[in-house]
Amino acid sequence: MNIRQLDSQDYYEISPVINEWWGGRNMADMLPKVFFDHFQDTSFVMERGGRIAGFLVGFLSQSKKGEAYIHFVGVHPEYRQLGIGKALYEQFFAEASSRGCQKVRCLTSPVNTGSIAYHTRMGFKIEKGDKLTDSGIHVHSDYDGKGQDRVLFVKAF
């Protein structure tokens, strides 16, 4: 397997399969081509056998000095449980750290319990929100618009 920086042309391979990778959920709208054009040096692709097995799109915050943000991560369903996601996160952490960042942030939907568990295993802490889910997870109400609650994570290094 090989990790490399994201390229503009990767959009045309990744975008058509995003919804499929998420079990039919409409996720493609969350990753427009502008991310592939403008965040290449902090975004990564994992290739296996000439195919994209996973990707991570992240960037350094322009508003919060010393912070970076992971916007979107995906691993091909056939390649899950092989450490691809972890390798992509670690590559991003190393890049962010080398550029002076001490924190990385990301978020997910409160219904995405797999993502919540994954991020806590990766060392992210859940930021206190204004309400709790039935399972006791802190949530930020209407974070991405009315009815669009989110779980916010932070990892310091």
Side-chain angles (χ1 to χ4, degrees), residues 109-126:
S109 170
V111 300
N112 195 340
T113 56
S115 177
I116 294 168
Y118 182 82
H119 284 92
T120 55
R121 282 194 311 271
M122 288 291 298
F124 284 89
K125 304 294 183 205
I126 296 173

Side-chain angles (χ1 to χ4, degrees), residues 138-157:
H138 281 273
V139 172
H140 295 253
S141 300
D142 301 328
Y143 185 85
D144 275 336
K146 188 167 178 61
Q148 300 296 313
D149 300 348
R150 296 293 181 257
V151 176
L152 277 60
F153 299 96
V154 64
K155 179 180 174 83
F157 46 81

Side-chain angles (χ1 to χ4, degrees), residues 27-53:
M27 303 295 285
D29 292 345
M30 294 179 60
L31 193 59
K33 190 167 185 302
V34 68
F35 284 95
F36 292 78
D37 291 340
H38 294 281
F39 298 108
Q40 295 173 2
D41 61 339
T42 55
S43 299
F44 303 96
V45 166
M46 173 76 78
E47 294 178 318
R48 184 172 186 198
R51 294 178 59 196
I52 293 178

Side-chain angles (χ1 to χ4, degrees), residues 4 35 59 104:
R4 63 169 173 79
F35 284 95
F59 52 89
V104 174

Side-chain angles (χ1 to χ4, degrees), residues 7-155:
D7 182 90
S8 292
Q9 293 304 307
D10 292 327
Y11 173 81
Y12 299 106
E13 186 173 345
I14 292 171
S15 184
V17 298
I18 289 176
N19 294 344
E20 179 185 326
W21 287 13
W22 267 262
R25 286 176 55 202
N26 184 18
M27 303 295 285
D29 292 345
M30 294 179 60
L31 193 59
K33 190 167 185 302
V34 68
F35 284 95
F36 292 78
D37 291 340
H38 294 281
F39 298 108
Q40 295 173 2
D41 61 339
T42 55
S43 299
F44 303 96
V45 166
M46 173 76 78
E47 294 178 318
R48 184 172 186 198
R51 294 178 59 196
I52 293 178
F55 66 94
L56 180 149
V57 174
F59 52 89
L60 307 183
S61 176
Q62 293 182 15
S63 302
K64 296 183 179 185
K65 185 174 172 63
E67 293 191 15
Y69 181 78
I70 296 173
H71 175 66
F72 210 102
V73 181
V75 176
H76 189 294
E78 290 177 16
Y79 300 124
R80 292 184 181 153
Q81 305 298 320
L82 299 177
I84 292 170
K86 183 178 180 183
L88 289 164
Y89 274 78
E90 288 175 352
Q91 182 75 30
F92 183 78
F93 296 155
E95 185 64 34
S97 179
S98 76
R99 293 171 179 241
C101 293
Q102 300 88 35
K103 288 183 184 177
V104 174
R105 296 184 183 276
C106 58
L107 60 80
T108 194
S109 170
V111 300
N112 195 340
T113 56
S115 177
I116 294 168
Y118 182 82
H119 284 92
T120 55
R121 282 194 311 271
M122 288 291 298
F124 284 89
K125 304 294 183 205
I126 296 173
E127 294 190 271
K128 185 176 180 181
D130 61 338
K131 70 179 185 181
L132 295 172
T133 65
D134 291 340
S135 59
I137 302 294
H138 281 273
V139 172
H140 295 253
S141 300
D142 301 328
Y143 185 85
D144 275 336
K146 188 167 178 61
Q148 300 296 313
D149 300 348
R150 296 293 181 257
V151 176
L152 277 60
F153 299 96
V154 64
K155 179 180 174 83

